[in-house]
Amino acid sequence: MIAPFLALIACAACHPAEAKGHAATLMARTLERGEEAVLLRANPELTYKLGAYSYRVRREGDRNLYTVTGPEGSLTAPIRWAVGQGEAGQTYVLERDGKLYESWVSYYNHLRRLEVTIGTPPRPPVSLEEAFGREMKPRDVVECFSCHSAPTEKSAGIDKGTLAWTEALAAGVQCENCHPGAAKHAAARAAGDLKTAKLERLKTLTTEEMSDSCGTCHRTWAHIQVNGPRGIGNVRFQPYRIAHSKCYDAVDRRIGCTTCHDPHKRSDTIAVDYDSACKACHHKASGAAKPVPVCRVSEKRCTSCHMPKYEIPGAYFRFTDHFIRIVRPNETYPD
């Protein structure tokens, strides 16, 4: 059978346009091996100071190294993984003594420099050990890498160590992440077994089913309701936010994730390009059983008014809120 991380190559034979487009997406490159990190190649020397501790990320030979220096001395470790492509930011997974750590500082694109990793205590570290970063326990590693790499049998083999478990992974979101069984499908097609090769068509999913599929990584409504986060921190979990919208319909595909977002293409940042999706329902001759409101202000750049952007404190990036609504003047963030 074709391994999941090789499915993209096999899929490209029959789906060249999708494979080519996907390769340019941020999802495809949401995880890179430390030595291959494109952002760090473009920034071979990064420094930062926080309290008594100084940070340095530098290129040395074919490796990227992370160093923390403080009153007690220095700690240096190789960057094993770079998480994120830096559109918002990029965080580093470090290896020390066979264990994996999340870097205390990350690179932020808006700042063009290092700053404290989001979620890290907003204060200077109190020891060199703390300043280095947060040790990632097996559960942390599985949850993080499961959404940033080709799918694998979750936690299988993690008992051998987090470092060994990640070394077997293929970086980035690939075909199998969204198309379960893609590797089996490709292998069956190659063998001429068309019956076994049948793969579920995602176009047949209802809006709710699509939200659950995308929500595997982008968080479902149920997940956030139970686990949080509460407040502005949940703005980046789109399936949860869109479910609050008055126009959300669990079975109407016109409000589904893929109506606006093609996973095989890089996300469009031009507001007017999304108008057609809004007008699929919000136009005078929509034919809907119930009258569908039509905007009295404008029918252009709908998202710029009805899907406001919010910056999560410490993220240095403005996320589009997928809670579609009429935004009231001076309103607080509607959780």
Side-chain angles (χ1 to χ4, degrees), residues 24-216:
T25 65
L26 295 178
M27 288 197 303
R29 298 178 293 126
T30 189
L31 182 70
E32 295 175 305
R33 293 186 178 275
E35 62 273 16
E36 299 170 356
V38 174
L39 189 152
L40 293 181
R41 286 180 179 272
N43 297 273
E45 180 89 20
L46 294 167
T47 59
Y48 181 71
K49 186 170 178 59
L50 182 63
Y53 298 91
S54 299
Y55 294 83
R56 184 185 181 198
V57 174
R58 71 186 189 279
R59 184 81 179 175
E60 188 174 283
D62 60 353
R63 300 189 302 169
N64 286 303
L65 301 178
Y66 173 98
T67 299
V68 185
T69 302
E72 311 97 313
S74 296
L75 286 175
T76 297
I79 294 175
R80 282 296 184 184
W81 299 95
V83 183
Q85 265 296 305
E87 178 149 308
Q90 186 174 80
T91 298
Y92 305 106
V93 177
L94 319 165
E95 179 219 336
R96 184 160 65 88
D97 300 329
K99 298 178 181 178
L100 295 179
Y101 293 77
E102 178 186 70
S103 59
W104 188 280
V105 297
S106 298
Y107 179 87
Y108 291 92
N109 188 46
H110 178 71
L111 302 177
R112 293 288 194 271
R113 63 173 172 81
L114 298 175
E115 185 53 86
V116 175
T117 299
I118 187 170
T120 299
R123 56 164 176 77
V126 298
S127 68
L128 183 64
E129 184 71 28
E130 183 182 52
F132 182 77
R134 177 182 66 89
E135 181 182 348
M136 299 178 71
K137 301 300 183 183
R139 179 179 177 179
D140 301 325
V141 174
V142 170
E143 288 185 351
C144 175
F145 282 82
S146 291
C147 286
H148 288 270
S149 64
T152 184
E153 193 67 37
K154 284 192 175 183
S155 76
I158 196 76
D159 57 312
K160 297 178 181 177
T162 55
L163 177 61
W165 187 80
T166 62
E167 285 302 303
L169 300 177
V173 172
Q174 300 187 28
C175 305
E176 190 88 12
N177 292 75
C178 301
H179 300 280
K184 182 179 179 181
H185 167 77
R189 288 281 300 183
D193 184 357
L194 301 183
K195 183 177 181 180
T196 304
K198 188 175 181 180
L199 195 64
E200 180 182 21
R201 292 178 61 82
L202 298 185
K203 288 183 179 180
T204 65
L205 299 181
T206 65
T207 295
E208 190 71 8
E209 289 169 338
M210 181 62 74
S211 288
D212 286 343
S213 177
C214 297
T216 300

